[in-house]
């Protein structure tokens, strides 16, 4: 009989060759042999991410996190699955957890995970926007109905039209504000900063991209003076500003 | 998920279309649906430098997936009415010897640079020159064994240019 680890290795082979169904079944056998190894669950979770079996991914990740609480991979896949299941708020907290763990572990996936966090934020905003628009159009409908029920036809129509103008204006105002303030823009990606860190010079950058740059050369992008990851400090005020902005302007993630 | 390189180039592209570029710098060609494809930029000088008066030169920018962490590959190219400018740091095949474009430890590239700032630097590199010649060893470099721009180790310690 093959050992659990041998079964996992076999699973990895099928995974690498793109046969996710076979990989899944080998990981499953490994799990039956040894249900205490978190890696078997995260490997199977990734296989199921590829097969887009999101509910199953969630289960595997939860199991893996029970076994190893600080499981970066599990939180990463979990965030991905929850986002695909249309649960952006939970997706965000999973991805955000993964992000923290990735920073700690100096993982090369930091940028990818940061992008996942932003995607979840945007999805959460979109969901809220849809709900808000539904609420508002219901409000408009109900109020118009009230006018029509209680007033003479002519007066009611006039009021209904006026109401539509007012509601329309509020939508316009919201759509016009599509600009990200300069102080939230990262000088490297030209996108919005999600986790700003400040250099000795006082300039802020998004952590994930700046770390990428420092891997190539340990210098300040502006002055070329020596700069290492240890020199960076989180810019908490700017981070709060970015969060507040994104809460109202989820579109800015893709901007 | 789109690449950081792609998103950033899209923003640079949009800014060039809507905002204004510095005088003497124009976008000649870029592919809006695939911004990762090479771009061409036209450069002309603002002051009356006799060497380059009335001329416009064309730069080609090639980006890799690591842009802007890694520098773009930039060189002069020929086209109708576009020749390679004479300069002691520009080879006759268009290769430019400029610290700013060099990656690696000690290289002058920084991810806060952009297509626009590179153009401005090259523009001022031409502005400041009055020597009508090619770099030393131009023939050998241009007609010798082909190397990729990135494999070349230029020397940047010439204080005269």
């Amino acid at each position: 009989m093959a050992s659990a680890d041998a079964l996992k290795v076999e699973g990895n082979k099928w995974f690498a060759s793109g046969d996710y169904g076979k990989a899944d079944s080998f990981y499953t056998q490994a799990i039956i042999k040894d249900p205490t190894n978190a890696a078997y669950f995260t490997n199977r979770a990734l296989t199921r991410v590829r097969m887009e079996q999101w509910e199953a991914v969630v289960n595997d990740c939860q199991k893996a996190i029970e076994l190893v609480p600080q499981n970066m991979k599990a939180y990463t896949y979990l965030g991905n699955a929850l986002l695909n299941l249309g649960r952006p708020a939970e997706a965000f907290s999973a991805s955000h957890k993964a992000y923290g763990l990735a920073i700690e572990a100096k993982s090369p996936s930091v940028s990818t995970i940061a992008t996942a966090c932003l995607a979840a934020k945007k999805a959460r905003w979109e969901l809220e926007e849809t709900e808000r628009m539904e609420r508002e159009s219901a409000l408009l409908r109900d109020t118009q109905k009230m006018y029509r029920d209680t007033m003479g036809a002519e007066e009611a129509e006039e009021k209904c039209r006026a109401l539509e103008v007012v509601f329309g204006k509020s939508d316009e105002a919201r759509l016009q504000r599509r600009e990200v303030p300069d102080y939230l823009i990262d000088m490297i990606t030209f996108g919005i900063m999600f986790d700003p860190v400040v250099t000795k010079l006082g300039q802020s950058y998004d952590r994930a991209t700046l770390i990428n740059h420092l891997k190539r050369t340990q210098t300040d992008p502006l002055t070329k003076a020596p700069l290492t990851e240890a020199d960076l400090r989180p810019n908490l005020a700017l981070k709060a500003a970015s969060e507040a902005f994104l809460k109202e302007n989820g579109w800015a993630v893709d901007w | 998920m789109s690449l950081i390189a792609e998103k950033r180039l899209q923003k640079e592209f949009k800014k060039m279309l809507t905002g204004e570029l510095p005088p003497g710098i124009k976008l000649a060609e870029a592919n809006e649906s695939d911004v990762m494809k090479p771009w061409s930029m036209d450069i002309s000088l603002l002051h009356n430098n006799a060497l380059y008066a009335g001329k416009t030169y064309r730069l080609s920018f090639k980006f890799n997936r690591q842009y802007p962490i890694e520098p773009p590959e930039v060189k002069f190219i020929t086209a109708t009415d576009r020749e390679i400018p004479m300069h002691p740091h520009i080879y006759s095949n268009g290769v430019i010897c400029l610290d700013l474009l060099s990656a690696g430890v000690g290289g002058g590239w920084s991810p806060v640079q952009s297509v626009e700032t590179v153009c401005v630097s090259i523009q001022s590199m031409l502005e400041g020159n009055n020597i009508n010649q090619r770099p030393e060893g131009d023939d050998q470099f241009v007609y010798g064994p082909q190397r990729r721009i990135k494999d070349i180790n230029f020397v940047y310690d010439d204080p005269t240019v």
Side-chain angles (χ1 to χ4, degrees):
Chain A
M1 279 285 264
S3 72
D5 214 51
L7 289 162
K8 183 197 82 171
V9 171
E10 191 66 20
N12 290 353
K13 265 189 225 155
W14 289 111
F15 181 88
S17 73
D19 191 334
Y20 302 123
K22 281 224 174 65
D24 186 294
S25 91
F26 276 102
Y27 292 139
T28 304
Q29 291 175 54
I31 288 167
I32 293 168
K33 274 251 147 94
D34 179 5
T36 64
N37 190 325
Y40 303 161
F41 285 100
T42 45
N43 281 17
R44 191 170 68 176
L46 182 58
T47 313
R48 293 174 169 182
V49 166
R50 294 282 196 271
M51 298 192 289
E52 304 190 356
Q53 299 171 354
W54 308 116
E55 297 281 359
V57 176
V58 172
N59 290 337
D60 276 351
C61 290
Q62 280 166 345
K63 199 75 198 163
I65 291 164
E66 268 171 41
L67 294 166
V68 179
Q70 305 297 311
N71 197 323
M72 181 192 90
K73 281 186 184 172
Y75 278 109
T76 309
Y77 307 149
L78 182 60
N80 185 348
L82 289 168
L83 187 59
N84 280 291
L85 286 168
R87 290 153 66 181
E90 294 159 272
F92 176 74
S93 59
S95 297
H96 194 250
K97 177 88 182 164
Y99 179 75
L101 294 169
I103 297 278
E104 249 173 66
K106 297 194 188 300
S107 157
S109 338
V110 168
S111 323
T112 320
I113 298 175
T115 314
C117 288
L118 286 173
K121 261 196 179 173
K122 182 179 168 227
R124 190 171 62 183
W125 172 79
E126 276 171 349
L127 198 67
E128 283 168 6
E129 277 289 285
T130 317
E131 283 168 5
R132 181 189 58 76
M133 270 147 64
E134 275 163 13
R135 257 196 326 272
E136 282 181 8
S137 64
L139 182 67
L140 178 65
R141 223 175 28 242
D142 292 352
T143 323
Q144 286 180 334
K145 183 171 184 308
M146 233 164 60
Y147 283 145
R148 290 190 176 115
D149 288 350
T150 54
M151 291 172 188
E154 207 169 306
E155 195 187 356
E157 280 320 305
E158 195 180 308
K159 286 214 152 69
C160 286
R161 267 197 305 276
L163 210 53
E164 271 163 20
V165 170
V166 171
F167 272 82
K169 269 191 187 139
S170 99
D171 267 352
E172 260 170 46
R174 236 187 307 268
L175 286 174
Q176 270 165 7
R177 264 181 326 181
R178 301 224 147 173
E179 206 160 298
V180 180
D182 277 348
Y183 56 83
L184 293 179
I185 304 280
D186 176 58
M187 287 176 75
I188 297 179
T189 59
F190 290 12
I192 188 163
M193 284 186 268
F194 159 70
D195 182 9
V197 288
V198 64
T199 62
K200 287 186 270 189
L201 194 68
Q203 179 66 45
S204 291
Y205 299 87
D206 198 60
R207 186 192 296 268
T209 2
L210 187 58
I211 288 178
N212 244 337
H213 160 70
L214 292 177
K215 266 186 205 144
R216 202 177 65 85
T217 158
Q218 300 208 316
T219 54
D220 187 300
L222 281 176
T223 61
K224 304 277 159 74
L227 183 75
T228 65
E229 207 179 320
D231 297 325
L232 306 177
R233 297 289 174 269
N235 189 336
L236 298 177
L238 199 56
K239 184 171 182 178
S242 156
E243 269 164 18
F245 184 81
L246 282 176
K247 193 159 174 20
E248 298 291 315
N249 303 277
W251 51 264
V253 164
D254 279 344
W255 177 84
Chain B
M1 191 194 73
S2 64
L3 278 170
I4 287 176
E6 214 176 309
K7 274 178 93 169
R8 163 137 167 189
L9 284 170
Q10 250 148 20
K11 285 201 189 102
E12 290 193 41
F13 181 71
K14 259 186 224 152
K15 195 184 159 225
M16 285 186 187
L17 290 188
T18 57
E20 45 196 73
L21 281 165
I25 292 167
K26 280 203 187 81
L27 175 67
E29 197 194 333
N31 189 329
E32 189 174 3
S33 54
D34 186 1
V35 285
M36 295 297 291
K37 292 234 172 83
W39 295 20
S40 303
M41 300 293 298
D42 275 349
I43 291 194
S44 53
L45 298 209
L46 306 175
H47 306 295
N48 262 335
N49 183 329
L51 270 179
Y52 311 113
K55 298 270 179 58
T56 302
Y57 301 99
R58 183 161 292 180
L59 287 167
S60 123
F61 281 74
K62 281 186 191 162
F63 309 95
N64 70 19
R65 296 165 60 89
Q66 266 66 51
Y67 179 82
I69 300 296
E70 303 250 336
E73 211 177 284
V74 185
K75 60 177 194 172
F76 280 102
I77 52 173
T78 51
T80 320
D81 282 339
R82 303 282 184 269
E83 39 192 79
I84 311 288
M86 281 301 264
H87 189 287
H89 287 176
I90 299 170
Y91 290 92
S92 52
N93 60 0
V95 171
I96 309 161
C97 175
L98 179 64
D99 177 45
L100 177 70
L101 297 173
S102 138
V105 181
W109 175 255
S110 154
V112 299
Q113 302 290 351
S114 63
V115 173
E116 181 182 321
T117 62
V118 168
C119 288
V120 171
S121 296
I122 291 174
Q123 189 185 37
S124 74
M125 170 177 159
L126 296 180
E127 301 268 12
N129 175 53
N130 51 21
I131 306 172
N132 188 14
Q133 66 183 38
R134 294 285 175 209
E136 235 172 85
D138 182 56
D139 279 0
Q140 191 196 352
F141 174 74
V142 175
Y143 302 105
Q146 287 292 311
R147 284 177 292 184
R148 292 189 310 141
I149 295 184
K150 282 189 177 155
D151 298 336
I152 304 163
N153 286 316
F154 293 117
V155 180
Y156 300 109
D157 54 3
D158 182 355
T160 59
V161 192

